[in-house]
Amino acid sequence: MAQNPNLAALAAAGVSVWLDDLSRERLQTGNLQELIDTKSVVGVTTNPSIFQAALSKGEAYDSQIAELAERGADVDATIRTVTTDDVRDACDVLAKQYELSDGVDGRVSIEVDPRLARDADKTIAQAVELWKIVDRPNLLIKIPAMEEGIPAITAVLAEGISVNVTLIFSVERHRAVMDAYLAGLEKAKEAGHDLAKIHSVASFFVSRVDSEIDKRLEKIGSEEALALRGQAGVANARLAYAAYEEVFVGGERFEALKADGARVQRPLWASTGVKNPDYADTLYITELVAPNTVNTMPEKTMDAVADHGVITGDTVTGRAGEAQEVFDKLEAVGVDLTDVFLVLENEGVEKFEKSWQELLEATQGQLDEKKS
């Protein structure tokens, strides 16, 4: 099967195409394999919302949930079993991409329970548990980049476990995440782990930044403010990439680890589905093309890129100056960026907690039904 030329061009420009979705149906029908064969997909990300949607649709999980109900499994154990089974199977489907990329791609992410986001010790314990349950080298454990989660990121990496740091909104937090990654590698090296096997991505959320800032610009309402709509998300990501280059391209601390096989922590563009219909539906793909990055896309966005995405090469490197100008203008018209990022971070965790709660309730309902 031939690869779609637009997505192949994106991959050739150094962007790893990952699918931001997973369900048992995708695995059972061969749909995930088809996306690998035709859409250049080399990775998968999941989150509580994705699992909640997967479990609430269709009958793919019915027999397993009935079996678990018969065994007397509680709701937490049921969700853990069902989600880790899907992730393990997806890891197996992507094993070839993992081998071909020397472990860089072929990755599947699973998130720790979002209710633990502000508890570092419990996050660490669950990350280790999930790593052992899935038992695949191409797994990534997702840990939210809350201030309280930063020590957990370092501690989990120090165990030789690969991590996807999620819910990053500001460049300042991204710097703290990169620092946590390097600290984790240093500790892993001390513990005798093979650094070449430890991978990490820093998941930088894009569209939500525009949604929040556009809302504030519309409230301000001046001509200067309205002219800045739809620019913040891309500018923020370009500044994040410049910060990544500072740390990983010739940065002294990383260079010392590189000799022991350490890999860069790649920026991953997340939340790349366009929420405002006034903007091009491929905006957060075509404007964020840079080497050593990942773009995880909902299938709808992937299809849009496949159909009409124009990939013109690197659209990020060397553009930090103009990105900073956008942020200077935002502050000049009265946007409180510190508050924006705080609101987004809190909302991000709340959304995942809500999805997890819905997942718990729906699964409990199914368990009760099977028992009766």
Side-chain angles (χ1 to χ4, degrees), residues 52-327:
Q52 191 271 328
L55 265 83
S56 63
K57 280 189 293 205
E59 297 166 0
Y61 299 93
D62 285 5
S63 62
Q64 186 176 23
I65 290 174
E67 189 190 314
L68 288 162
E70 205 174 304
R71 278 197 249 150
D74 66 14
V75 67
D76 286 301
T78 300
I79 289 169
R80 189 164 54 245
T81 301
V82 166
T83 57
T84 53
D85 280 1
D86 277 3
V87 167
R88 187 185 305 107
D89 289 346
C91 282
D92 290 344
V93 173
L94 283 152
K96 188 180 173 188
Q97 282 60 44
Y98 173 72
E99 285 159 24
L100 289 172
S101 65
D102 189 26
V104 173
D105 283 310
R107 296 273 169 178
V108 184
S109 297
I110 188 169
E111 189 155 345
V112 293
D113 182 336
R115 295 171 299 177
L116 309 178
R118 298 184 193 279
D119 188 322
D121 290 341
K122 286 182 179 170
T123 294
I124 294 162
Q126 195 180 69
V128 172
E129 181 189 31
L130 288 170
W131 183 257
K132 285 176 180 169
I133 292 171
V134 176
D135 192 27
R136 293 294 183 271
N138 49 334
L139 179 69
L140 287 171
I141 303 291
K142 278 177 98 172
I143 299 175
M146 316 298 292
E147 208 169 316
E148 301 91 334
I150 296 293
I153 293 159
T154 295
V156 172
L157 288 159
E159 295 286 334
I161 295 171
S162 295
V163 174
N164 173 345
V165 184
T166 188
L167 286 178
I168 306 171
F169 293 99
S170 70
V171 176
E172 182 188 12
R173 184 57 55 83
H174 181 216
R175 287 187 183 279
V177 164
M178 291 189 287
D179 190 59
Y181 174 62
L182 294 173
L185 288 182
E186 285 159 356
K187 289 186 174 180
K189 180 182 169 181
E190 281 170 32
H193 291 291
D194 180 354
L195 299 192
K197 290 185 175 160
I198 303 170
H199 282 255
S200 185
V201 289
S203 293
F204 211 82
F205 280 51
V206 187
S207 67
R208 292 188 198 180
V209 172
D210 272 335
S211 298
E212 180 64 26
I213 288 180
D214 283 2
K215 192 167 66 180
R216 295 179 187 222
L217 290 169
E218 280 158 16
K219 197 173 177 186
I220 293 163
S222 67
E223 201 175 313
E224 296 87 347
L226 296 176
L228 290 166
R229 284 177 299 183
Q231 294 182 44
V234 167
N236 198 33
R238 286 174 175 166
L239 289 169
Y241 190 78
Y244 151 81
E245 287 187 301
E246 262 177 55
V247 173
F248 292 107
V249 183
E252 276 180 39
R253 196 172 168 195
F254 177 67
E255 283 301 310
L257 292 159
K258 201 172 161 183
D260 291 294
R263 317 288 191 119
V264 300
Q265 182 185 52
R266 291 185 295 167
L268 177 151
W269 313 129
S271 178
T272 55
V274 173
K275 293 177 173 61
N276 187 331
D278 294 339
Y279 304 154
D281 55 3
T282 60
L283 172 68
Y284 304 124
I285 315 299
T286 59
E287 295 305 305
L288 293 176
V289 179
N292 272 330
T293 57
V294 179
N295 198 310
T296 188
M297 311 173 204
E299 193 170 18
K300 187 180 172 190
T301 303
M302 195 177 285
D303 288 344
V305 176
D307 182 62
H308 52 265
V310 181
I311 309 302
T312 56
D314 191 334
T315 51
V316 174
T317 308
R319 297 181 73 171
E322 66 184 85
Q324 187 56 54
E325 278 176 29
V326 171
F327 271 59

